[in-house]
């Protein structure tokens, strides 16, 4: 059963990687084709930078996790194994991702549904902008009628 869970967790992690990076590459290609952009970096540097940062931190996490796992195994008189490491690494990684996705998803949903007056993330901002535009248009119309 443990082997099945480890394999499924790795399949899930690989699927998340492939989906995330695949969507980014697909979107960049679509936008380049529509806009006929030649250079990628000036127009998509933010996405590419975050993708590279994510990948680098994931690799660094893998090395750090191995060090922690191997030391823990040696402290308990056991020999570190790849299977044990794979279990530990996948468990820690998926727990971390779960909490991050849950936090971000909650923020996105609440920001879309709820109002906090004056907050840039709240949906009331568009209503205030629309009201301000209508006031400006009325003033312009009044002044044009007076002239």
């Amino acid at each position: 059963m443990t082997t099945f869970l480890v394999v499924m967790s790795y399949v899930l992690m690989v699927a998340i990687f492939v989906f995330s990076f695949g969507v980014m590459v697909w979107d960049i290609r679509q936008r380049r084709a529509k806009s006929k952009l030649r250079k990628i970096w000036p127009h998509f540097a933010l996405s590419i930078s975050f993708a590279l940062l994510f990948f680098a931190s994931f690799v660094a996490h893998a090395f750090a996790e191995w060090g922690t796992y191997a030391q823990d195994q040696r402290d308990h008189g056991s020999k570190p194994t790849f299977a044990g490491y794979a279990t530990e690494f996948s468990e820690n990684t998926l727990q971390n991702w779960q909490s991050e996705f849950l936090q971000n998803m909650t923020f996105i949903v609440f920001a879309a549904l709820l109002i906090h007056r004056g907050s840039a993330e709240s949906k009331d901002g568009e209503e205030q902008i629309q009201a301000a535009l209508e006031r400006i248009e009325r003033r312009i119309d009044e002044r044009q009628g007076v002239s």
Side-chain angles (χ1 to χ4, degrees):
M1 184 67 172
T2 302
T3 305
F4 174 74
L5 293 175
V6 169
V7 169
M8 289 306 298
S9 65
Y10 271 99
V11 167
L12 180 62
M13 282 191 285
V14 168
I16 290 170
F17 267 119
V18 169
F19 177 76
S20 299
F21 288 101
V23 166
M24 183 185 74
V25 169
W26 177 82
D27 185 58
I28 289 172
R29 293 177 112 190
Q30 293 294 321
R31 291 179 188 275
R32 280 186 69 199
K34 285 180 184 176
S35 303
K36 297 181 180 160
L37 300 173
R38 291 181 184 242
K39 295 182 180 180
I40 293 176
W41 183 255
H43 301 284
F44 304 103
L46 181 64
S47 297
I48 295 169
S49 296
F50 274 122
L52 292 173
L53 184 62
F54 174 77
F55 184 73
S57 66
F58 189 75
V59 170
H61 170 71
F63 282 112
E65 187 71 35
W66 171 258
T68 303
Y69 168 75
Q71 185 61 46
D72 189 46
Q73 291 301 306
R74 284 191 290 272
D75 289 347
H76 289 91
S78 299
K79 183 180 177 186
T81 63
F82 181 75
Y85 166 71
T87 303
E88 188 86 16
F89 178 74
S90 61
E91 178 182 333
N92 289 338
T93 300
L94 291 175
Q95 283 178 358
N96 186 25
W97 285 3
Q98 177 189 11
S99 67
E100 294 300 320
F101 285 127
L102 180 62
Q103 174 190 2
N104 288 326
M105 206 52 192
T106 303
F107 180 77
I108 291 167
V109 170
F110 281 5
L113 298 176
L114 304 176
I115 294 175
H116 183 94
R117 292 278 176 215
S119 170
E121 291 83 9
S122 185
K123 65 181 181 179
D124 71 317
E126 286 184 30
E127 295 167 1
Q128 290 175 344
I129 291 170
Q130 186 63 34
L133 285 174
E134 289 173 5
R135 283 194 308 271
I136 292 169
E137 288 173 346
R138 272 196 310 272
R139 287 181 185 164
I140 291 172
D141 289 342
E142 290 172 0
R143 290 182 184 207
Q144 285 179 347
V146 171
S147 300

